[in-house]
Amino acid sequence: MQNTSRFLTDTLRLRRQRLANLIDFPAILWSGSSSPRNFPANVFPFRASSHFLYFAGLALPNAAIRLSAGKLELFMNNPQPESALWHGEMPHREEIAQMIGADAAKPMAELELWTPGAATIAVQDAGSWTQQSQLLNRWVLPQKPPQGIDLELAKAIISLRLIHDDGALAELRKAAAVTAKAHRAGMAATTRAQIEAEVRAAMEQVIIAHHMTTSYNSIVTVHGEVLHNEQYHHPLQPGDLLLADVGAETEMGWAADVTRTWPVNGKFSSTQRDIYDVVLAAHDACIAKIQPGIEYQDLHLLACTVITEGLVDLGILQGNPQDLVEMDAHTLFFPHGIGHLLGLDVHDMEDLGDLAGYEEGRTRSNRFGLGYLRLNRPLRPGMLVTIEPGFYQVPAILNDATWRSTYQNVVNWERLSQFADVRGIRIEDDVLVTQEGSEVLTAALPTEASAIENLVSS
Ligand code: GLY
Ligand code: MN
Ligand code: MN
């Protein structure tokens, strides 16, 4: 278990005081349990609930905290005597309570005495939400939108977690720095690698060596057109582009989320370079516009416009770029949103559906070009967002009879066929909204094509 610091306990105390200013009822947050892989003693790595981590700071399995009027009570059982044989001596409840600045520490069995009138947020694992439902005497389900005081609690926590405090930013900067190093290692390993898995290993090696984990399953693929590709067996062929979407997560759970796309042989072909520069222009244009008050959806539409203009200039799309965006022609090649919130979760607070991502009163659009937009709020200082435009040739989209007939006349299909060596490109950075504008937390990793080529060839 990591050592805690005065800075952490001060941060945690401030967070629960802020929560106490927003709600006048107690909240109980469960940490969750690990899930067995194939038999009970062989488990998937434990990941504590992010809402618990935000207030408790430590990834304690099978624990709960009760927050009331600025006070924190920790509920957890002490380790069984025989567990020392297998897991070593673990700190006891009272020591942990001291480490996180808790006001009291009690065994789990006492929690039921403290549940009346308490709100909660559903934890993802079934064992935990079943216990939450039993102890609170109502259904608490991850799939069910929160209601009543649970909804009030969710909104209060969202308002805190949306704007990162100094404690969060210190962690997010660490995750960003290690992620940038991991990507450099991946680029440097590529020319000697035979298959995708070797590049993944080089990247995750850096993350593991910093005593971190990945904040989501790494995507390291020559088939970048599969948006969340989690296969790593493909051979790396000269002429391929490798798309790596890999992010580190600190021990306290704070995430980075970065994508770079690079040529396997260290040199973009002219067609790859043309499209890469279109995606980069969209990335740069969005970041240049970030400042307090800007609507995130407008950044998405800006990316759509820049990508469409670039594809018109290359002769792939034909027509007036603004008209093409209005008819969603860009979504043939850029089918997802420009990004999302980032924090303790890589898609921060997505366990609450769109409650965090969408400003109150807004809902997802049915429009193909906007339906995958995960964030639709005006930006405020302290928010951390990703900017991740891309270009993909997805066979399921481009060969679909309906899409093809809808966009038959706006795509120059013959010209498009000349770009067959560009299956998927994405460029993703983590951008903090500041009072003055923005700060790219992942700026240590270049985006410019020739700099990427140099890193691959180095
Ligand atoms: N790494 C997942 C995403 O970019 O949303
Ligand atoms: Mn992302
Ligand atoms: Mn990503």
Side-chain angles (χ1 to χ4, degrees):
M1 190 168 297
Q2 82 230 58
N3 288 323
T4 53
S5 64
R6 181 70 195 269
F7 179 59
L8 175 68
T9 49
D10 286 350
T11 297
L12 299 177
R13 190 166 295 118
L14 199 60
R15 287 177 188 164
R16 53 187 191 257
Q17 277 161 1
R18 286 187 174 142
L19 183 69
N21 292 338
L22 297 173
I23 56 170
D24 58 4
F25 47 83
I28 301 178
L29 297 172
W30 272 255
S31 66
S33 311
S34 50
S35 304
R37 271 173 63 167
N38 43 354
F39 56 91
N42 189 13
V43 294
F44 287 108
F46 172 67
R47 173 54 161 80
S49 146
S50 295
H51 303 296
F52 176 92
L53 278 176
Y54 187 75
F55 293 100
L58 293 181
L60 309 167
N62 309 312
I65 51 173
R66 185 173 183 277
L67 300 161
S68 178
K71 299 263 186 275
L72 184 154
E73 291 165 291
L74 173 68
F75 291 83
M76 64 179 285
N77 292 335
N78 280 329
Q80 298 289 327
E82 65 270 22
S83 104
L85 171 63
W86 302 102
H87 304 295
E89 292 291 343
M90 300 297 273
H92 279 219
R93 181 170 57 233
E94 286 70 21
E95 293 165 75
I96 293 174
Q98 201 174 15
M99 288 160 80
I100 64 173
D103 300 284
K106 297 173 178 157
M108 218 29 179
E110 284 188 27
L111 183 57
E112 65 180 328
L113 303 174
W114 296 92
T115 52
T120 196
I121 296 179
V123 174
Q124 299 293 307
D125 71 275
S128 298
W129 59 251
T130 304
Q131 191 187 56
Q132 290 178 283
S133 302
Q134 282 166 350
L135 289 185
L136 292 167
N137 201 24
R138 62 175 180 271
W139 282 113
V140 179
L141 298 170
Q143 312 87 321
K144 184 171 153 262
Q147 290 177 344
I149 54 170
D150 294 344
L151 179 59
E152 276 187 65
L153 172 65
K155 286 184 180 172
I157 291 182
I158 287 168
S159 75
L160 299 178
R161 286 182 55 189
L162 269 181
I163 308 298
H164 292 302
D165 57 28
D166 289 346
L169 285 173
E171 288 288 301
L172 290 162
R173 286 180 196 284
K174 283 190 226 164
V178 169
T179 300
K181 267 175 99 169
H183 278 258
R184 284 172 183 267
M187 291 178 201
T190 299
T191 52
R192 292 187 309 277
Q194 305 293 312
I195 64 169
E196 295 156 336
E198 291 170 64
V199 180
R200 176 194 180 198
M203 299 181 81
E204 293 193 5
Q205 188 274 336
V206 173
I207 292 172
I208 294 165
H210 284 81
H211 202 214
M212 295 190 187
T213 58
T214 53
S215 52
Y216 48 93
N217 292 336
S218 299
I219 299 163
V220 183
T221 182
V222 292
H223 285 284
E225 76 279 12
V226 180
L227 297 183
H228 284 175
N229 200 336
E230 291 180 14
Q231 298 183 337
Y232 312 102
H233 63 275
H234 299 108
L236 306 182
Q237 316 270 17
D240 279 340
L241 287 178
L242 185 72
L243 184 154
D245 184 345
V246 175
E249 175 176 308
T250 68
E251 209 180 343
M252 274 191 270
W254 296 88
D257 180 13
V258 169
T259 308
R260 289 293 183 270
T261 308
W262 59 84
V264 157
N265 60 6
K267 185 86 190 135
F268 288 101
S269 71
S270 65
T271 42
Q272 290 168 344
R273 175 71 190 253
D274 284 344
I275 302 275
Y276 186 93
D277 285 342
V278 168
V279 176
L280 184 59
H283 165 277
D284 291 353
C286 289
I287 291 176
K289 276 270 184 289
I290 292 185
Q291 61 174 46
I294 194 102
E295 286 286 347
Y296 193 75
Q297 176 169 279
D298 289 343
L299 296 180
H300 175 75
L301 291 169
L302 174 64
C304 299
T305 303
V306 173
I307 289 170
T308 303
E309 285 167 351
L311 297 182
V312 168
D313 288 347
L314 291 174
I316 293 173
L317 286 174
Q318 38 204 18
N320 173 286
Q322 215 49 53
D323 295 343
L324 291 167
V325 170
E326 272 163 36
M327 63 189 291
D328 287 332
H330 59 280
T331 50
L332 289 172
F333 305 105
F334 175 43
H336 60 74
I338 190 64
H340 48 84
L341 293 166
L342 181 64
L344 279 162
D345 307 306
V346 61
H347 292 173
D348 209 24
M349 298 179 274
E350 211 171 86
D351 62 316
L352 296 167
D354 280 339
L355 263 186
Y358 274 58
E359 188 83 352
E360 195 146 6
R362 299 183 188 177
T363 50
R364 292 241 184 176
S365 165
N366 289 329
R367 229 176 105 179
F368 182 32
L370 290 173
Y372 290 123
L373 191 59
R374 297 176 192 275
L375 176 57
N376 186 347
R377 282 182 180 272
L379 297 183
R380 289 163 50 203
M383 281 184 177
L384 181 63
V385 299
T386 67
I387 292 295
E388 48 180 305
F391 171 96
Y392 314 89
Q393 297 205 55
V394 183
I397 294 178
L398 296 177
N399 298 335
D400 177 90
T402 312
W403 295 125
R404 239 185 136 101
S405 73
T406 306
Y407 297 112
Q408 188 56 39
N409 297 325
V410 300
V411 177
N412 182 335
W413 299 95
E414 195 184 313
R415 176 74 177 136
L416 178 63
S417 68
Q418 293 165 6
F419 291 82
D421 66 347
V422 191
R423 291 193 288 263
I425 292 177
R426 177 161 66 254
I427 307 171
E428 176 175 28
D429 277 303
D430 303 344
V431 188
L432 178 68
V433 185
T434 63
Q435 296 286 353
E436 300 75 35
S438 73
E439 179 191 346
V440 181
L441 297 192
T442 45
L445 191 64
T447 50
E448 205 268 321
S450 55
I452 296 283
E453 287 177 339
N454 289 339
L455 286 173
V456 177
S457 306
S458 66

